[in-house]
């Protein structure tokens, strides 16, 4: 193996090196019984981040305009509170936030297909802590989704 191959294998990561060795990881969502593409497939990270950005922007606008009335230092704290309420209520009732709906995503429970309010509350608490949302499994689900036994799928 020359230096270029060694550097290339390091840059592509451990998954690519394992796939070159013959390991078959399948597609995202295969272990959950979800299709590879189309409706009910795992929502990709770009869509999920876009939906989060829209939801956060909406919450900042609500906090800035209605709660803090332009007092900037307190806006971000109130925006997190608004985000918590928005996410817990909308995911627990209709299955998606305004940003998720805009990007064609919904949250479903693995067993029942609908997210109960308790499960939505657990998922939202973990999402607001941020660290669980940054730890992903091979299906692209965050730790907050794994613990709440939910998954974000495309509509």
């Amino acid at each position: 193996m020359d230096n270029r191959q060694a550097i290339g294998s390091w840059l592509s990561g451990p998954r690519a090196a394992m796939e070159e060795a013959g390991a078959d990881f399948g597609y995202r969502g295969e272990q959950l019984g979800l299709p590879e593409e189309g409706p009910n497939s795992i929502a990709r990270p770009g869509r999920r981040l876009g939906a989060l950005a829209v939801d956060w922007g909406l919450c900042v606008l609500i906090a800035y305009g209605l709660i803090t009335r332009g007092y900037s230092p307190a806006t971000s704290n109130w925006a997190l509170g608004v985000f918590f309420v928005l996410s817990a209520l909308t995911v627990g009732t209709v299955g998606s936030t305004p940003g998720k709906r805009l990007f064609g995503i919904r949250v479903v429970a693995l067993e029942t297909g609908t997210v109960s309010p308790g499960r939505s509350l657990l998922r939202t608490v973990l999402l607001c802590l941020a660290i669980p949302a940054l730890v992903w499994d091979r299906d692209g689900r965050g730790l907050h989704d794994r613990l709440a036994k939910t998954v974000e799928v495309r509509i």
Side-chain angles (χ1 to χ4, degrees), residues 88 91-93 114-125 147-148 150:
V91 169
T93 55
T114 58
V115 180
S116 67
R119 210 172 271 213
S120 172
L121 188 63
L122 172 65
R123 182 182 184 280
T124 303
V125 166
L147 293 175
T150 58

Side-chain angles (χ1 to χ4, degrees), residues 29-110:
E30 184 176 19
Q31 291 181 339
L32 303 173
L34 300 173
E36 186 172 2
E37 294 179 5
N40 293 325
S41 65
I42 295 277
R44 299 288 182 218
R47 281 182 186 235
R48 293 171 63 183
L49 290 173
L52 181 64
V54 168
D55 289 336
W56 185 254
L58 180 65
C59 292
V60 167
L61 285 174
I62 291 170
Y64 185 81
L66 298 178
I67 299 171
T68 64
R69 291 189 176 89
Y71 181 63
S72 295
T75 301
S76 60
N77 293 332
W78 280 104
L80 183 61
V82 172
F83 179 80
F84 179 83
V85 171
L86 175 83
S87 183
L89 290 178
T90 57
V91 169
T93 55
V94 295
S96 63
T97 62
K100 287 182 190 344
R101 179 64 70 180
L102 182 68
F103 279 82
I105 301 172
R106 66 186 169 113
V107 179
V108 296
L110 291 175

